[in-house]
């Protein structure tokens, strides 16, 4: 007769002791995965970075609402007297729209010409091996080492002989000379990331080198072109020294020069300057919005290959 062993009971309780539960596997973090503390620190850092970027802009907009030029010394007085009178004055009683027209002509001209020259230069150095192609890029980089102060006088004499003083072409060419070297380096690095087999496929299909460049390579290089275009645009909008020197007609002042009209030897109208600065940020923000989809990709892709 078979016998079975009764289950053990806890002494004095009459309850069957449960079998020890199977040990649960410990959760392991994957390599590169952030823990809770890392996530919190990341978000705190992003919030602080956002505040650092936004506080100066918010402060500038706040000052632009003050009616007096000295309100920046006593910002508490602005709360009870906020208004848009400064914006109305700038739009109605200054040459703001002339400044806007001149700035857009110079900035867009610099963007289109500068990006075209930088793209052809970067593509040639990336794909072709000709005598001096490496020194060419270093020469372009070396041009960035010269300060603006020592370039103004010789450039003024050159443009004076060419009859380009007080013309938009003078600023466009000068801004291109500043922006093209960096843009060429940027686009050269981006073109290096595009497989060379695409060029070969284009030639097999009967495309010329120019056809391959314009029909195959440039569409693939849109993120890099967007970054170069934004850099050229910002360079032209914010340039002050050359625009002040080469533009003599008030109607041809750019934004950067127009801002200086609010500052004299003994006075500075900070409220009008703040309002004008906020208005200047609008076209720049619009241009940024148009190219922002490609900016992140373009900024990171060019660094993968040298």
């Amino acid at each position: 007769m078979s016998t079975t062993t009764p289950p053990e009971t806890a002494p004095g309780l009459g309850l069957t002791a449960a079998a020890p539960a199977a040990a649960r596997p410990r959760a392991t973090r994957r390599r590169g995965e952030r823990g809770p503390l890392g996530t919190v620190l990341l978000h705190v850092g992003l919030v602080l970075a956002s505040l650092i970027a936004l506080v100066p802009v918010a402060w500038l907009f706040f000052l632009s609402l003050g009616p007096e030029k000295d309100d920046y010394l006593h910002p508490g007085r602005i709360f009870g007297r906020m208004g848009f009178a400064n914006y109305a004055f700038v739009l109605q009683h200054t040459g703001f729209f002339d400044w806007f027209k001149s700035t857009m002509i110079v900035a867009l001209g610099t963007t289109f010409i500068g990006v075209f020259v930088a793209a052809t230069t970067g593509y040639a150095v990336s794909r072709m091996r000709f005598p001096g192609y490496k020194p060419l890029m270093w020469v372009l980089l070396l041009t960035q080492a010269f300060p603006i102060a020592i370039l103004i006088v010789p450039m003024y004499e050159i443009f004076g002989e060419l009859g380009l003083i007080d013309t938009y072409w003078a600023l466009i060419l000068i801004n291109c000379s500043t922006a093209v070297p960096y843009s060429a380096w940027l686009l050269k690095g981006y073109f290096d990331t595009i497989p060379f087999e695409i060029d070969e496929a284009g030639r097999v299909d009967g495309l010329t080198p120019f056809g391959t460049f314009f029909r195959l390579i440039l569409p693939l290089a849109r993120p890099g072109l967007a970054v170069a275009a934004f850099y050229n645009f910002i360079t032209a909008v914010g340039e002050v020294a050359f625009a002040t020197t080469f533009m003599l007609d008030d109607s041809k002042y750019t934004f950067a020069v127009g801002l200086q009209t609010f500052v004299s030897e003994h006075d500075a109208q900070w409220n009008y300057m703040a309002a004008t600065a906020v208005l200047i940020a609008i076209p720049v923000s619009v241009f940024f919005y148009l190219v922002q989809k490609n900016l992140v990709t373009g900024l990171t892709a060019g660094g993968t290959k040298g």
Side-chain angles (χ1 to χ4, degrees), residues 142-159 174 177-178 241-242 245-246:
L142 183 62
T143 60
Q144 303 295 289
F146 294 96
I148 294 177
I150 67 173
L151 298 176
I152 290 180
V153 174
M155 285 190 171
Y156 191 92
E157 293 182 357
I158 293 173
F159 287 128
I174 289 173
S177 68
T178 303
F242 290 117
T245 305
F246 293 108

Side-chain angles (χ1 to χ4, degrees), residues 4 17 30 37 45 66 79 89 92 99 101 105 118 126 132 144 154 164 172 193-195 221 260 275 289 298:
T4 59
R30 298 177 182 176
L37 179 60
F79 287 103
F89 178 86
Q92 297 175 7
W99 304 342
K101 180 190 71 173
I105 292 174
S126 174
Q144 303 295 289
L164 295 178
I172 291 174
T193 64
I194 299 176
Q260 298 184 17
Y289 176 78

